[in-house]
Amino acid sequence: MTVAEGAASALRVPVELEGRSYDILIGRRLLDDPAAWQGLPRASSVVVVTNDTVAPLYADAVEDALRRALERPVSRIVLPDGEDHKDWPTLQSIFDGLLGSGCDRRTLLVALGGGVVGDMAGFAAACFMRGVPFVQVPTTLLAQVDSSVGGKTAINHPLGKNMIGAFHQPVRVLADLDVLRTLPRREVAAGLAEVIKYGPIADAAFLDWIEAHVDDLVALDPAALAHAVRRSCEIKADVVAQDEREGGLRAILNFGHTFGHAIEAGLGFGEWLHGEAVGCGMVMAADLSVRLGRLDPAELPRLERLVARAGLPVRGPRLGAARYLELMRHDKKAEAGEIRFVVLDGLGRAQVQPAPDALLVSEVIDAHC
Ligand code: NAD
Ligand code: GLY
């Protein structure tokens, strides 16, 4: 797919997938630039799926650019904001809206919002008429560096997060850095956790760069953000291209998530943001890597300092080691009840491995909670 010249100043990261390749465009003032919307599949109509926080901020501009670029009818479906609404009734409301306005298999969906909207609109696109194209327009830092890329879509089930879903790749991702200016500070920090993650698992030089620029990132400096989003997307695109359906390698993207998931579930989802739990979880996973003799002990305080400088917690809640271990057995990486961890083999390399001795994991928990 070609990207129009007008959006030429945008950075372009390709995601190479046999027959389903697409571009991630990263830049400023992209949303209302009709050129950024050129070259998409021919659509009969366009539906923007967003939520009641993001809609008043950006939906008019996006729809205006879409009308000018695609010259097709554009309508809007507004979902209630929040992870609590990432569920069947809300998904059904998307289908109600699509069928009620006569959409067909050539309708293009546009997911405008954070990871919750992206995951839900993506899942709706995967199912509606057995699959329609969709564009991801991520408006949180977390969504720009992680959830909008790679085609994982899902809703939650009362028995587990993201348990009902599909792989369905977008046809384009438009990451407009300017929208991050309206994002609450806590959400910016949560997104930085996922940026930091890419250093230890795949690129030690990127970790050095983040250390040197973390204050610029917290201050939303456009040049620093552009580099961080681009390098994060490049690393994720590379991993996804090698292992789209998480047969193995893709699981390294969950560094820190086994401990983080236990924190989120143990406190009740929503108490800590996902990125906050991942930030703390990365420190714990790095400590586990040290205790396994795979990571230089000097790297642990370094990572801990960086996570703290990003505005993220580095000490987990005191749930008790037994409770942590019980919660981790429900992690999606667990196999037949056996917990699996992403551990570091030095900085810049990661692998998934079955749980080491429970005592070792308990020591990590006791040291950081
Ligand atoms: P979110 O979508 O809930 O957004 C956070 C908050 O910010 C919401 O209140 C939202 O309305 C608001 N918001 C969004 N953009 C804004 C803006 N520009 N200005 C002001 N407010 C704005 O949370 P998130 O952190 O973006 O995403 C979390 C979700 O992503 C979870 O459901 C998680 O499961 C999912 N996720 C999916 C993947 C994947 O690969 N598909 C990866 C990681 C996370
Ligand atoms: N966020 C993890 C993944 O996309 O696989």
Side-chain angles (χ1 to χ4, degrees):
M1 184 169 301
T2 57
V3 170
E5 277 177 25
S9 60
L11 303 169
R12 188 182 75 87
V13 177
V15 183
E16 312 277 6
L17 292 163
E18 185 84 34
R20 283 158 299 121
S21 297
Y22 55 94
D23 285 332
I24 305 164
L25 296 190
I26 301 158
R28 305 191 61 185
R29 289 181 290 278
L30 278 184
L31 291 190
D32 51 4
D33 181 357
W37 297 94
Q38 300 287 349
L40 293 167
R42 252 179 78 76
S44 53
S45 61
V46 185
V47 178
V48 176
V49 182
T50 183
N51 74 20
D52 51 17
T53 300
V54 177
L57 297 169
Y58 304 112
D60 283 346
V62 166
E63 288 167 9
D64 190 44
L66 277 163
R67 279 190 194 95
R68 284 188 284 149
L70 304 186
E71 298 178 331
R72 289 287 179 273
V74 179
S75 57
R76 182 186 305 183
I77 294 174
V78 180
L79 310 177
D81 189 2
E83 185 79 33
D84 288 354
H85 299 286
K86 195 177 166 184
D87 58 7
W88 275 114
T90 311
L91 183 70
Q92 175 76 5
S93 76
I94 301 177
F95 297 135
D96 293 346
L98 296 175
L99 291 167
S101 57
C103 292
D104 59 31
R105 61 179 56 156
R106 285 186 35 238
T107 294
L108 174 73
L109 298 197
V110 174
L112 173 67
V116 170
V117 165
D119 278 14
M120 266 197 299
F123 189 36
C127 302
F128 185 68
M129 304 271 167
R130 300 198 182 90
V132 294
F134 82 113
V135 177
Q136 284 274 18
V137 186
T139 62
T140 63
L141 182 57
L142 181 140
Q144 295 192 349
V145 299
D146 190 354
S147 63
S148 66
V149 176
K152 280 189 182 175
T153 74
I155 57 168
N156 299 329
H157 184 279
L159 294 180
K161 222 167 115 64
N162 294 329
M163 288 296 170
I164 317 292
F167 285 96
H168 187 55
Q169 299 292 342
V171 292
R172 186 170 298 169
V173 179
L174 285 186
D176 186 329
L177 303 170
D178 288 332
V179 302
L180 302 179
R181 304 213 156 272
T182 53
L183 199 58
R185 310 301 297 176
R186 201 176 156 197
E187 298 287 351
V188 173
L192 285 176
E194 303 285 1
V195 174
I196 292 170
K197 167 186 86 177
Y198 291 110
I201 64 166
D203 185 350
F206 184 44
L207 189 63
D208 295 343
W209 181 90
I210 300 170
E211 275 182 316
H213 294 89
V214 65
D215 297 339
D216 300 330
L217 292 170
V218 169
L220 298 178
D221 173 73
L225 277 177
H227 181 74
V229 174
R230 173 170 64 173
R231 188 67 196 122
S232 300
C233 288
E234 282 171 351
I235 293 170
K236 180 151 187 186
D238 183 45
V239 170
V240 169
Q242 293 181 61
D243 179 23
E244 183 184 6
R245 295 198 167 227
E246 202 163 312
L249 176 72
R250 186 165 176 167
I252 67 167
L253 298 173
N254 291 322
F255 175 58
H257 287 55
T258 310
F259 289 104
H261 178 260
I263 293 173
E264 284 183 275
L267 289 176
F269 285 98
E271 187 66 26
W272 279 30
L273 296 178
H274 174 71
E276 292 170 335
V278 167
C280 186
M282 286 192 292
V283 175
M284 294 163 91
D287 189 351
L288 183 62
S289 311
V290 170
R291 286 171 200 259
L292 287 167
R294 292 170 169 224
L295 183 68
D296 179 345
E299 306 296 4
L300 179 61
R302 185 183 162 198
L303 187 64
E304 186 167 342
R305 263 195 309 276
L306 179 59
V307 169
R309 284 177 67 203
L312 295 159
V314 290
R315 296 202 72 77
R318 301 182 123 258
L319 306 172
R323 178 73 178 133
Y324 268 92
L325 287 164
E326 183 194 333
L327 290 161
M328 288 192 287
R329 281 190 198 98
H330 296 289
D331 185 80
K332 277 214 285 302
K333 282 187 303 308
E335 284 178 12
E338 186 183 58
I339 310 167
R340 294 163 70 78
F341 291 91
V342 180
V343 292
L344 302 176
D345 269 328
L347 279 184
R349 276 163 53 100
Q351 63 169 273
V352 183
Q353 72 149 62
D357 185 349
L359 196 62
L360 206 60
V361 181
S362 301
E363 283 172 13
V364 170
I365 294 163
D366 290 340
H368 294 275
C369 300

